[in-house]
């Protein structure tokens, strides 16, 4: 078209970004890449093609790592780790700062390479991905700088295996590598096989930044390489971002290995629009929610919930907006939606949509003739029971339904196995700030969507995974309390029955404690509890899976506890301390009878238990969240939410103090709890019913089971309505619990057979509070005029 | 509600360009439910406005064509206390020949002219004479421009006088106080009276958005003025401390879009003040194209209120033609 013709048509025309520099970098490597191990490139071997999804052209050949490569990478990382961690924080800060600066200086090269390899529009890689990458390294350079002063009690985990997805190749690398290196870990990172190139460019640049050999290693290849990392015995931590199905397999594969694990998985995030919202802005938000990166975003607002009264208007305007989206060459600066990453993914999206009911609307926007493109799509008229309302599509497809009331909006929003992100649009601050904390999501955006920053934690609940990336909370995933591994915990067995039985004066019948009432064990079995000297102290019920089920149901029913104020919970915990104190002698006697230890020891345990209740009463209204300094007019709140329903195996060795050490933090943070009493010494727990009964603890908040830990732990860890499971049992349950937890990907906190000194600082404090909470990030941009 | 029965017709303008004439906006009774339901979330609007320049880009011939289009959308304006007849004649001459002939020829373009010339009432006769035969309409700022605080009957009379003097477009200013106090009825009545006084002349309602306090007020004032029959809504007088901005534009054109959705009538948009760079003009055009559609990229529905924008565009066009960066003195003064 010539100028006069364009003057009439007013079309945009092509605005291509040059790929010359990116291709020159690939050529500089002769189009072939080996592994990046110990600061060196290995010779390319057994290569596979890395393609441009927009054209199908081969960009480069990348090597499939074998077990030897992975082994070499891990041992290089291991060798480098001690020295890297022992550097002053400032030295690591300098390296991370250099990385940030170098990426900034090569920002266009990274952006173009990312768009070539992944298919995302250059606008996104240039204006979103790469600036966030830079920001992440800057931010964590600061964390390295502050580590010595601000985290004196924590240390690096060691060698981290990191497996990242193809949707944000470089950004996910930054989210994983920056905090790991900042805290003194070393890394073996595996990029997704579709999109390895920016990670390889990053390796080149890491050398320039002065990252010591072995500190950063990059191995490429398919899922088999990821599996080698997951199962490698010399890796301390696995961090994975990807699908829930693979996350679940990783959870099972790492169960009992002692490896730390964080998972950032799939989502079906609700996007709620109330009738008082700025409709046009909410529609524009959807462009950033579901048509960002072709909808291949784990936190994409993919489930539209619109208030009924405005639904028709909303859909009509949304369709009109969709028609304006421009699909095409990702390197064109005038393109909104690029190519889907791979033909396989395109096929999945196509078949999911083709099988769907409802009213399917494809944007009336021209599709390029070749390449992996799928049109922006809206499916309305679906119900929660429809498959596409439940399943992640991971493509540019939005599904929608309507709601009547705020309460129904929350119900619909939370009617999902996932819990990554959520979006709320309303001009009513009361409504928006009421809804935001009620949504099952790790991140909530109010009147905005897909806002990210290094200072604000990101991560999910439910089957969207666990762990946070970004902020101070993100550092928990790359550090552990100092002091290394504790001593092994020896199994503690119950006192054996004597040959001659000395009976008590009057039978005391302790049952299970479920829903604020004593309940007979379902199985109708109990065990006799003997003193070391053979005195019959009483009986304790043997809980079975049905008792677990009932206890979980009671805990689930006590959801109101999670909405109580910290002040109220503090009063109840103080009251528990007071009532325990009133019965101090009785509890001391019981401990002495069961364990046979000295009077001074049991008195100390009772006293420590009272103190512990006071500690958590104190914490109940003081484990504050934070207002994050994000670069935006607005705030990002980090709120410490209760995890929900926690199943816990109490330590065997401190029958009262151990019990209280779990009940305390769980209650203080607003959780409901099913706790299995010390298996050999359960009677302190059954006595504790009296304390609970007299302290205004609402029914169902604390449920206590007695019996065999393994019997209780299995159904508890596998229960799909339990959000976390802790185990401090002296039975070897860690592997089983972690494997069982994979069902709904509940968080686990297990002792891996290691001892903990319950009477010391190890037995309380922030680690417990963190385990009892999920950080929820709520973004509230604001501004008027 | 009453809509005009005038048919959409296509005619050739003096410049030989096809001009499509839309039915005029006769307005509708004030609908307060609608007015009060209008929301404008500032931070979301700012985000959209901030990311737009990164989302759309026009290059090479496309950029040149878009810049030429922008010229045809300019209300070439002089609103200074020291305006004289000579000054206005010079401006009119530039309006009729905004781009050097050799540059137009190099791009294969025929003659083009600006959308209008915009002056104070006293300069209307001069401008009308100077533009005779060019097809360029004269717009007059009116109603006690820029503050709009002279006696109401005089403001109405001023419109009548300007129309009598040959102005085909009247840029009125609204009473900001009606918006700031939420007196939508008063705003509606005022706008109605101005519209009636305009007769066949088209009326542009200047909201003075920099003085309305919030984007929500901008949105609501836009709706009320359209209900009262505004042919165009316009951001600013150019005399406020904040004039046209992208967020304000987004709010106003979304109001225009909703008015068309509901009423089937296209109202025009004129950002004024502060748009002085060719690149800004491209961003505005992209915004209009995205949010309202191509139909609005014509002078009957979109104008830039600008005085120095043309100069920057001329330099960009010369750069496009020659490949060399240009100099101001190589282009005729406005």
């Amino acid at each position: 078209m010539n100028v006069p013709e364009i003057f009439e048509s007013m079309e945009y025309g092509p605005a291509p970004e040059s790929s010359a520099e990116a291709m020159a970098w690939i050529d500089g490597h002769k189009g072939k890449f080996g592994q990046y191990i110990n600061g060196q490139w290995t010779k390319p071997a057994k290569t596979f093609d890395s393609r441009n999804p927009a054209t199908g052209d081969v960009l480069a050949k990348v090597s499939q790592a074998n077990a030897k490569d992975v082994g070499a990478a891990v041992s290089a990382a291991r060798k480098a780790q001690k020295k890297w961690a022992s550097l002053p924080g400032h030295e690591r800060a300098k390296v991370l700062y250099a990385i940030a600066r170098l990426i900034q200086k090569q920002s266009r090269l990274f952006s173009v390479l990312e768009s070539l390899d992944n298919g995302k529009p250059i606008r996104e890689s240039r204006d979103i991905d790469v600036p966030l990458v830079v920001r992440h390294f800057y931010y964590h350079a600061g964390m390295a700088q502050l580590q010595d002063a601000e985290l004196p009690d924590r240390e690096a985990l060691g060698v981290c295996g990191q497996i990242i997805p193809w949707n944000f190749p470089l950004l996910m690398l930054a989210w994983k590598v920056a905090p790991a290196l900042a805290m003194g870990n070393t890394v073996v990172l595996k990029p997704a096989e579709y999109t390895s190139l920016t990670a390889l460019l990053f390796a080149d640049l890491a050398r320039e930044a002065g990252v010591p050999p072995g500190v950063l290693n990059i191995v490429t290849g398919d899922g088999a390489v990821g599996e080698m990392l997951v199962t490698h015995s010399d890796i301390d931590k696995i961090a994975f971002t990807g699908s829930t199905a693979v996350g679940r397999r990783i959870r099972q594969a790492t169960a009992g290995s002692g490896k730390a694990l964080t998972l950032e998985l799939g989502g079906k995030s609700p996007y709620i629009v109330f009738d008082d919202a700025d409709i046009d802005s909410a529609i524009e938000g959807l462009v950033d929610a579901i048509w960002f990166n072709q909808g291949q975003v784990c936190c994409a607002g993919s489930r539209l919930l619109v208030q009924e009264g405005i639904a028709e208007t909303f859909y009509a305007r949304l369709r009109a907006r969709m028609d304006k989206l421009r699909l095409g060459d990702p390197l064109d600066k005038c393109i909104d939606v690029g190519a889907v990453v791979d033909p396989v993914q395109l096929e999945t999206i196509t078949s999911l949509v083709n099988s769907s009911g409802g009213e399917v609307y494809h944007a009336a926007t021209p599709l390029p003739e070749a390449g992996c493109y799928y049109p922006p799509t809206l499916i309305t008229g679906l119900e929660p029971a429809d498959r596409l309302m439940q399943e992640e599509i991971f493509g540019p497809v939005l599904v929608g339904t309507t709601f009547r009331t705020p309460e129904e909006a929350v119900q619909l929003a939370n009617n999902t196995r996932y819990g990554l992100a959520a979006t709320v649009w309303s001009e009513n601050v009361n409504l928006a700030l009421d809804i935001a904390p009620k949504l099952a999501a790790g991140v909530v955006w109010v009147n905005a969507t897909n806002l990210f920053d290094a200072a604000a934690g990101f991560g999910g609940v439910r089957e969207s995974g666990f762990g946070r990336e970004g902020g101070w909370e993100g550092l928990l995933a790359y550090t552990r309390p100092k002091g290394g591994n504790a001593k092994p915990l020896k199994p503690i067995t119950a006192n054996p029955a004597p040959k001659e039985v000395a009976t008590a004066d009057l039978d005391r019948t302790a049952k299970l404690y479920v829903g604020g009432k004593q309940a007979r064990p379902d199985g109708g079995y109990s065990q006799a509890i003997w003193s070391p000297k053979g005195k019959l102290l009483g009986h304790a019920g043997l809980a079975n899976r049905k008792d677990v089920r009932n206890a979980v149901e009671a805990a689930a029913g006590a959801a109101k506890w999670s909405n109580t104020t910290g002040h109220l919970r503090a009063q109840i915990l103080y009251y528990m301390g007071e009532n325990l104190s009133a019965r101090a002698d009785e509890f001391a006697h019981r401990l002495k009878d069961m364990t046979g230890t000295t009077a001074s020891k049991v008195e100390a345990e009772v006293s420590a238990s009272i103190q512990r209740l006071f500690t958590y009463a104190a914490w109940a209204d003081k484990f504050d969240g934070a207002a994050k300094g994000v670069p935006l007019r607005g705030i990002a709140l980090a709120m410490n939410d209760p995890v929900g329903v926690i199943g816990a195996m109490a330590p065997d060795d401190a029958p009262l103090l151990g019990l209280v050490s779990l009940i305390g933090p769980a209650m203080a943070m607003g959780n409901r709890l099913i706790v299995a009493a010390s298996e050999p010494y359960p009677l302190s727990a059954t006595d504790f019913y009296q304390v609970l009964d007299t302290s205004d603890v609402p029914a169902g908040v604390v449920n206590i089971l007695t019996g065999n830990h393994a019997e209780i732990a299995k159904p508890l860890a596998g229960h799909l309505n339990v959000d976390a499971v802790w185990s401090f049992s002296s039975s070897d349950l860690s592997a089983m619990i972690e494997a069982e937890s994979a069902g709904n990907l509940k968080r686990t906190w297990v002792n891996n057979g290691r001892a903990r000194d319950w009477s010391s600082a190890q037995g309380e404090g922030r680690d417990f509070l963190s385990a009892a909470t999920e950080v929820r990030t709520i973004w509230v941009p604001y501004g008027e005029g | 509600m009453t809509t005009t029965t005038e048919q959409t017709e296509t005619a050739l303008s003096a410049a030989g360009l096809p001009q499509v004439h839309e039915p005029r906006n006769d307005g509708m009774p004030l609908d307060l439910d609608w007015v009060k339901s209008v929301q404008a979330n500032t931070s979301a609007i700012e985000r959209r406005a901030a990311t737009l320049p990164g989302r759309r880009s026009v290059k090479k011939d496309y950029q040149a064509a878009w810049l030429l289009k922008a010229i045809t959308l300019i209300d070439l304006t002089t609103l200074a206390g020291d305006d004289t007849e000579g000054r206005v004649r010079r401006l009119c001459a530039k309006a009729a020949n905004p781009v050097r002939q050799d540059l137009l020829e190099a791009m294969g373009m025929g003659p083009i002219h600006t959308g209008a010339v915009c002056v104070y009432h006293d300069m209307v006769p001069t401008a009308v004479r100077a533009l005779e035969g060019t097809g360029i309409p004269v717009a007059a700022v009116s109603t006690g421009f820029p503050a709009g605080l002279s006696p109401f009957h005089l403001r109405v009379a001023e419109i009548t006088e300007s129309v009598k003097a040959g102005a085909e477009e009247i840029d009125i200013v609204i009473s900001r106080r009606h918006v700031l106090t939420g007196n939508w009825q008063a705003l509606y009545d005022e706008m109605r009276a101005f519209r009636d006084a305009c007769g066949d002349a088209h009326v542009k309602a200047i909201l003075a958005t920099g003085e309305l306090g919030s984007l929500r007020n901008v949105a609501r004032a836009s709706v009320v003025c359209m209900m009262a029959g505004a042919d165009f809504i316009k951001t600013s007088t150019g005399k406020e401390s904040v004039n046209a901005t992208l967020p304000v534009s987004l709010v106003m054109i979304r109001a225009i879009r909703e008015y068309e959705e509901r009423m089937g009538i296209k109202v025009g948009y004129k950002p004024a003040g502060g748009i002085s760079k060719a690149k800004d003009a491209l961003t505005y055009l992209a915004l209009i194209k995205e949010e309202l559609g191509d139909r609005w990229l014509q002078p009957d529905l979109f104008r830039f209120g600008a005085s120095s924008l043309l100069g920057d565009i001329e330099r960009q066009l010369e750069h496009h033609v020659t490949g060399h960066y240009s100099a101001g003195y190589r282009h005729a003064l406005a």
Side-chain angles (χ1 to χ4, degrees):
Chain A
M1 270 201 286
N2 60 28
V3 171
E5 285 164 349
I6 303 164
F7 181 84
E8 291 307 320
S9 74
M10 287 300 283
E11 285 181 18
Y12 285 115
E17 178 73 44
S18 166
S19 62
E21 286 79 3
M23 295 312 291
W25 172 78
I26 292 173
D27 288 346
H29 281 266
K30 300 195 169 64
K32 277 188 185 178
F33 294 87
Q35 315 297 331
Y36 184 75
I37 296 170
N38 205 22
Q40 305 282 332
W41 291 103
T42 66
K43 240 175 99 180
K46 214 185 155 214
T47 59
F48 58 92
D49 293 339
S50 190
R51 288 174 187 275
N52 176 347
T55 60
D57 296 345
V58 175
L59 291 168
K61 289 183 177 298
V62 178
S63 298
Q64 169 80 15
N66 58 28
K68 222 177 110 192
D69 297 324
V70 172
V74 173
S75 71
R78 174 62 63 200
K79 218 176 125 207
Q81 197 266 325
K82 272 218 171 84
K83 191 174 171 201
W84 177 245
S86 66
L87 291 176
H90 176 61
E91 294 304 313
R92 285 195 302 281
K94 285 199 291 191
V95 172
L96 288 167
Y97 173 72
I99 293 175
R101 296 286 293 142
L102 282 164
I103 296 173
Q104 230 168 9
K105 285 185 259 188
Q106 303 288 1
S107 59
R108 196 54 64 92
L109 177 59
F110 274 105
S111 306
V112 172
L113 189 63
E114 194 78 313
S115 284
L116 279 174
D117 201 15
N118 164 278
K120 66 174 64 198
I122 183 71
R123 201 273 307 180
E124 293 179 11
S125 48
R126 181 196 64 203
D127 294 351
I128 298 170
D129 292 40
V130 171
L132 281 171
V133 168
V134 170
R135 164 89 180 126
H136 224 77
F137 280 102
Y138 267 109
Y139 182 84
H140 285 94
M143 285 302 198
Q145 180 71 29
L146 296 178
Q147 183 181 17
D148 300 337
E150 294 299 314
L151 299 165
D153 301 327
R154 298 188 72 85
E155 64 182 11
L157 291 170
V159 175
C160 301
Q162 305 182 319
I163 302 164
I164 57 172
W166 44 258
N167 56 346
F168 294 91
L170 187 67
L171 183 57
M172 291 301 104
L173 174 148
W175 282 21
K176 298 275 183 286
V177 169
L181 296 195
M183 294 294 102
N185 301 278
T186 54
V187 162
V188 181
L189 176 120
K190 189 197 90 68
E193 59 173 321
Y194 296 148
T195 56
S196 307
L197 298 182
T198 45
L200 299 171
L201 173 59
F202 180 82
D204 259 1
L205 176 139
R207 294 211 283 196
E208 294 176 33
V211 177
V215 169
L216 171 79
N217 305 275
I218 291 173
V219 291
T220 52
D222 59 13
V225 182
E227 204 174 328
M228 290 176 207
L229 282 175
V230 167
T231 55
H232 198 289
S233 59
D234 200 28
I235 283 182
D236 301 295
K237 190 238 160 79
I238 294 290
F240 172 75
T241 296
S243 72
T244 293
V246 174
R248 188 170 282 130
R249 288 215 298 278
I250 291 176
R251 170 70 288 180
Q252 284 158 343
T254 54
S257 67
K259 285 189 181 83
L261 179 65
T262 46
L263 298 172
E264 203 270 89
L265 309 174
K268 190 78 183 175
S269 297
Y271 190 100
I272 306 169
V273 184
F274 287 100
D275 60 7
D276 65 348
D278 173 353
I279 291 180
D280 290 316
S281 289
I283 287 170
E284 200 55 45
L286 275 170
V287 173
D288 293 329
I290 186 67
W291 295 302
F292 174 50
N293 201 19
Q294 297 71 248
Q296 302 166 141
V297 183
C298 50
C299 56
S302 53
R303 220 161 25 107
L304 173 63
L305 306 173
V306 191
Q307 199 151 11
E308 224 169 279
I310 58 164
E312 283 317 308
T313 306
F314 192 91
Y315 292 155
R317 291 198 201 172
L318 175 56
R319 290 186 192 111
R321 178 69 186 90
M322 289 165 68
D323 293 346
K324 294 273 186 183
L325 291 169
R326 289 168 53 82
L327 264 77
D329 179 6
L331 281 191
D332 190 309
K333 287 178 269 195
C334 214
I335 284 298
D336 298 306
V337 182
V340 168
V341 73
D342 190 84
V344 176
Q345 185 65 18
L346 182 64
E347 177 53 38
T348 308
I349 297 168
T350 308
S351 74
L352 276 171
V353 173
N354 289 349
S355 69
S356 173
E359 201 180 317
V360 179
Y361 182 79
H362 295 301
T365 176
L367 280 189
E369 281 167 18
C372 290
Y373 292 94
Y374 195 83
T377 299
L378 168 70
I379 309 180
T380 50
L382 291 183
E383 305 302 336
D386 288 306
R387 183 179 171 203
L388 289 196
M389 286 293 283
Q390 300 287 341
E391 278 186 31
E392 187 176 31
I393 301 170
F394 224 63
V397 182
L398 177 68
V399 297
T401 192
T402 60
F403 65 87
R404 295 167 296 172
T405 61
E407 192 187 347
E408 191 173 58
V410 172
Q411 266 179 355
L412 284 167
N414 290 347
N415 183 216
T416 171
R417 284 172 292 140
Y418 296 110
L420 191 49
T423 301
V424 181
W425 287 85
S426 167
E427 288 300 300
N428 178 345
V429 68
N430 281 302
L431 177 61
L433 295 184
D434 179 44
I435 298 299
K438 288 180 177 166
L439 299 171
V443 185
V444 180
W445 294 291
V446 174
N447 292 329
T449 202
N450 277 347
L451 300 176
F452 308 102
D453 184 60
F458 182 90
V461 298
R462 296 187 178 169
E463 291 185 31
S464 292
F466 44 79
R468 292 291 177 267
E469 301 187 285
W472 292 98
E473 57 269 39
L475 302 181
L476 294 177
Y478 286 99
T479 55
R480 64 179 172 201
K482 265 187 184 161
N485 280 333
K487 287 190 190 119
L489 176 59
K490 285 194 209 111
I492 300 167
T493 48
N495 298 315
K499 288 198 178 115
E500 285 185 25
V501 172
T503 54
D505 300 342
L506 179 66
D507 179 68
R508 272 182 72 185
T509 313
K511 301 175 190 164
L512 309 176
Y513 190 72
V514 174
K517 291 192 184 106
Q518 295 205 32
R520 272 200 191 84
D522 169 83
Y525 291 103
S526 295
Q527 65 175 134
I529 305 299
W530 306 95
S531 79
K533 288 180 181 157
K535 187 177 153 200
L536 180 64
L537 300 175
H539 289 84
L542 286 171
N544 67 11
R545 52 189 305 119
K546 289 193 178 162
D547 296 309
V548 169
R549 177 199 66 190
N550 295 343
V552 172
E553 202 163 310
K560 276 190 183 153
W561 179 251
S562 297
N563 301 325
T564 53
T565 63
H567 176 58
L568 176 87
R569 296 195 297 270
Q571 290 176 73
I572 289 175
L573 283 158
Y574 280 128
Y575 200 11
M576 286 163 66
E578 180 187 326
N579 284 323
L580 178 58
S581 173
R583 294 161 187 265
D585 291 347
E586 177 196 331
F587 274 89
H589 275 295
R590 178 67 93 183
L591 284 168
K592 190 158 179 295
D593 283 350
M594 285 193 298
T595 62
T597 45
T598 63
S600 66
K601 275 196 178 156
V602 297
E603 277 159 24
E605 182 170 344
V606 174
S607 159
S609 301
I610 295 165
Q611 283 194 45
R612 194 136 291 167
L613 287 168
F614 265 58
T615 296
Y616 288 112
W619 270 121
D621 54 5
K622 294 176 191 65
F623 193 52
D624 297 331
K628 298 301 184 75
V630 290
L632 161 95
R633 181 159 62 142
I635 39 170
L637 297 172
M639 291 176 65
N640 290 320
D641 283 352
V643 169
V645 173
I646 299 175
M649 315 306 294
D652 292 321
D653 44 340
L656 179 64
L657 181 59
L659 179 81
V660 163
S661 298
L662 305 189
I663 291 177
M667 277 184 73
M669 296 296 103
N671 299 281
R672 295 91 73 195
L673 186 73
I674 300 100
V675 58
S678 165
E679 186 174 324
Y681 311 126
L683 298 183
S684 292
T686 57
D687 292 346
F688 201 73
Y689 302 170
Q690 311 286 336
V691 173
L692 295 171
D693 282 339
T694 51
S695 307
D696 298 340
V697 178
V701 171
V702 178
N703 305 276
I704 298 176
L705 303 176
T706 54
N708 179 281
H709 275 184
E711 291 278 317
I712 295 170
K714 193 155 195 258
L716 197 53
H719 200 299
L720 300 177
N721 205 20
V722 171
D723 301 296
V725 59
W726 301 349
S727 175
F728 300 97
S729 173
S730 71
S731 304
D732 180 16
L733 303 174
S734 298
M736 181 271 282
I737 284 175
E738 289 190 332
E740 288 293 318
S741 74
N744 66 342
L745 288 160
K746 58 177 71 66
R747 296 106 204 86
T748 60
W749 188 23
V750 297
N751 61 2
N752 288 308
R754 301 284 167 176
R756 181 178 286 267
D757 180 359
W758 294 97
S759 62
S760 77
Q762 264 189 6
E764 67 179 24
R766 287 187 176 268
D767 288 348
F768 287 79
L769 297 166
S770 295
T773 50
E774 294 281 6
V775 178
R776 173 200 298 268
T777 304
I778 302 179
W779 290 77
V780 190
Y782 50 68
E784 182 76 35
Chain B
M1 160 208 147
T2 52
T3 55
T4 172
T5 52
E6 192 185 332
Q7 294 296 304
T8 299
E9 53 182 86
T10 305
L12 285 181
S13 74
L17 305 169
Q19 296 282 313
V20 182
H21 297 291
E22 295 289 335
R24 261 190 100 177
N25 176 28
D26 285 337
M28 57 175 281
L30 179 63
D31 178 347
L32 281 175
D33 286 345
W34 178 351
V35 174
K36 286 179 178 163
S37 75
V38 171
Q39 297 288 6
N41 186 283
T42 301
S43 58
I45 288 160
E46 285 173 348
R47 275 194 304 282
R48 166 70 169 146
T51 58
L52 182 84
R55 289 180 198 259
R56 292 293 178 261
S57 177
V58 279
K59 298 290 173 199
K60 302 190 174 182
D61 280 356
Y62 288 85
Q63 189 177 88
W66 278 51
L67 290 175
L68 289 164
K69 176 65 75 180
I71 291 173
T72 66
L73 302 175
I74 292 176
D75 279 0
L76 199 62
T77 302
T78 184
L79 295 171
D82 58 0
D83 284 346
T84 60
E85 293 189 357
R87 160 78 185 123
V88 169
R89 276 195 295 271
R90 194 172 79 194
L91 189 79
C92 291
K94 185 68 178 174
N97 290 291
V99 180
R100 248 168 49 202
Q101 190 62 27
D102 62 305
L103 296 178
L104 285 175
E105 280 166 10
M107 291 180 281
M109 282 293 291
I112 58 168
H113 60 70
T114 67
V117 164
C118 183
V119 292
Y120 271 116
H121 169 78
D122 267 11
M123 296 297 149
V124 170
T126 310
V128 168
R129 268 194 308 277
L131 292 172
E132 214 172 340
T134 62
I136 303 173
V138 173
V141 296
S142 192
T143 66
F145 182 95
L149 288 169
S150 45
F152 180 70
H153 70 276
L154 293 183
R155 283 185 270 150
V156 174
E158 191 183 358
I159 295 175
T160 318
E161 290 298 316
S162 292
V163 172
K164 213 186 287 172
E168 292 176 62
E169 302 177 1
I170 303 293
D171 290 19
I172 63 99
V173 289
I174 65 161
S175 295
R176 283 69 124 178
R177 63 187 183 282
H178 295 332
V179 178
L180 295 172
T181 57
N183 192 347
W184 304 115
Q185 186 67 53
L187 178 65
Y188 179 87
D189 293 343
E190 176 184 77
M191 183 66 225
R192 253 297 162 209
F194 292 163
R195 162 74 152 87
D196 292 344
C198 284
D200 285 340
H202 281 219
V203 58
K204 307 193 194 102
I206 303 175
L207 304 186
T209 54
E211 294 177 350
L212 296 187
S214 72
L215 291 180
R216 187 175 298 101
N217 276 348
V218 170
R220 291 178 179 177
S222 299
V223 170
V224 171
C225 286
M226 288 188 285
M227 287 172 174
D231 295 297
F232 261 72
I233 52 176
K234 173 177 170 185
T235 58
S236 324
T237 64
K239 312 288 186 191
E240 293 86 50
S241 58
V242 181
N243 294 295
T245 64
L246 284 177
V248 156
S249 298
L250 191 54
V251 168
M252 292 175 71
I253 64 182
R254 282 175 173 175
I256 289 172
R257 190 171 66 197
E258 183 171 11
Y259 192 79
E260 197 215 3
E261 266 170 33
R262 294 206 194 193
M263 308 302 299
I265 294 289
K266 293 182 172 67
V267 171
Y269 177 63
K270 178 175 173 185
I275 304 165
S276 58
K277 298 289 176 213
K279 193 167 191 305
D280 297 340
L282 295 175
T283 302
Y284 271 92
L285 293 182
L287 180 74
I288 298 299
K289 185 175 166 73
E290 290 298 307
E291 295 277 337
L292 285 175
D294 291 354
R295 178 59 191 87
W296 264 267
L297 297 175
Q298 300 295 339
D300 63 333
L301 288 177
F302 182 79
R303 299 285 177 78
F304 288 111
S307 45
S308 60
L309 172 63
L310 178 55
D312 195 55
I313 293 179
E314 288 175 87
R315 287 192 294 277
Q316 297 306 320
L317 287 174
E318 184 164 35
H319 175 241
H320 173 74
V321 169
T322 65
H324 301 289
Y325 292 109
S326 181
Y329 64 79
R330 299 172 59 82
H331 306 280
L333 272 179

